[in-house]
Amino acid sequence: METIKIKHRLFTVIQALPDNFFLLERKNKRYLAEKFDPHSIEGKETSYAYSKLKYSGVSSPSIYLIDDRNGYAVREYVEGEKVSEILAREDLSENIIEQLFNNAYLARNSQITLNYEPDYWIIVNEKLIYTYPMVIKFNKQKDLVEKYIRLWFNTVELRQYLSKLNINFDKSRVKQENLVNKEIVLMTCKYYK
């Protein structure tokens, strides 16, 4: 098996994944590594995103190391079910919605904006985890309540979003507009900080 040396640590490559990602193993622990060009603008944005996520408190896989010199970011490998797949068959529990708002609060405090599309979040043992490694500087128009909140409830927007991902969604689950608006407002009032 092939090995990669990242910041004086040897990792065994288990599998090459799309988009310059690798599944690695070291001392019987699995990691997900991303290879990026440290001299490009995209590489600098990737490094920025990982370092901001590392100290933000946002529930995401632990970042093991960032090698800006050679262009690697290594984080904990976490498996779980995507929120988009869960939303296709059932409503999310209030506990998960509360965790979503808590993560949005932590991101705002760190002056970053996450991607709140449900496909970039997973649930592991009733814990909501952000798996998309990219963030941007805080942008109110792209924040959870301003842009993405309707994708987390049974709305027409959720049905359209899941359709784009080729995930089956029972159209009869879409709630009446006034009922879903009430639910969103109640959850926002209860958990928005």
Side-chain angles (χ1 to χ4, degrees):
M1 287 192 155
E2 182 187 353
T3 59
I4 297 176
K5 191 172 188 178
I6 305 171
K7 278 202 166 181
H8 309 294
R9 295 170 182 88
L10 280 176
F11 295 88
T12 303
V13 178
I14 296 172
Q15 182 180 1
L17 303 169
D19 301 323
N20 293 321
F21 281 91
F22 299 92
L23 184 58
L24 306 176
E25 188 173 87
R26 182 174 194 274
K27 295 183 179 180
N28 295 322
K29 245 184 129 178
R30 291 202 167 187
Y31 298 92
L32 188 64
E34 181 177 3
K35 174 72 175 138
F36 59 90
D37 178 1
H39 306 295
S40 70
I41 292 171
E42 294 83 15
K44 289 179 184 1
E45 289 172 354
T46 300
S47 177
Y48 167 82
Y50 277 107
S51 60
K52 288 299 272 187
L53 262 179
K54 184 173 186 170
Y55 299 107
S56 67
V58 170
S59 179
S60 63
S62 299
I63 297 166
Y64 185 60
L65 60 89
I66 302 168
D67 184 352
D68 287 323
R69 188 174 189 193
N70 297 309
Y72 282 101
V74 181
R75 60 187 169 136
E76 172 186 28
Y77 179 70
V78 180
E79 287 186 83
E81 188 173 15
K82 289 184 177 183
V83 171
S84 54
E85 294 167 356
I86 295 169
L87 281 166
R89 66 174 188 273
E90 63 189 55
D91 293 354
L92 296 175
S93 69
E94 191 169 327
N95 173 41
I96 297 298
I97 298 297
E98 180 181 6
Q99 290 180 54
L100 175 66
F101 278 100
N102 287 339
N103 280 302
Y105 172 75
L106 292 168
R108 268 194 322 278
N109 273 355
S110 296
Q111 291 297 302
I112 56 175
T113 299
L114 308 174
N115 187 328
Y116 294 99
E117 292 180 28
D119 206 46
Y120 297 121
W121 296 78
I122 62 171
I123 295 177
V124 180
N125 299 326
E126 288 300 308
K127 185 176 181 185
L128 184 66
I129 299 174
Y130 181 61
T131 60
Y132 189 59
M134 294 307 295
V135 300
I136 59 172
K137 289 181 181 174
F138 181 72
N139 182 335
K140 187 174 169 87
Q141 287 77 32
K142 293 184 178 180
D143 201 32
L144 173 65
V145 174
E146 297 293 324
K147 184 173 181 180
Y148 294 101
I149 193 68
R150 295 185 64 80
L151 296 179
W152 291 76
F153 294 87
N154 283 329
T155 60
V156 173
E157 291 88 346
L158 173 64
R159 181 178 53 81
Q160 292 167 346
Y161 174 74
L162 294 176
S163 176
K164 286 179 190 173
L165 296 173
N166 292 321
I167 297 174
N168 291 331
F169 180 74
D170 183 4
K171 294 177 185 177
S172 66
R173 287 190 52 231
V174 174
K175 296 180 181 175
Q176 291 178 357
E177 192 71 18
N178 62 335
L179 294 177
V180 77
N181 286 343
K182 181 180 177 182
E183 185 179 5
I184 290 170
V185 168
L186 287 173
M187 291 294 119
T188 303
C189 288
K190 192 170 183 181
Y191 297 116
Y192 185 78
K193 298 176 190 176

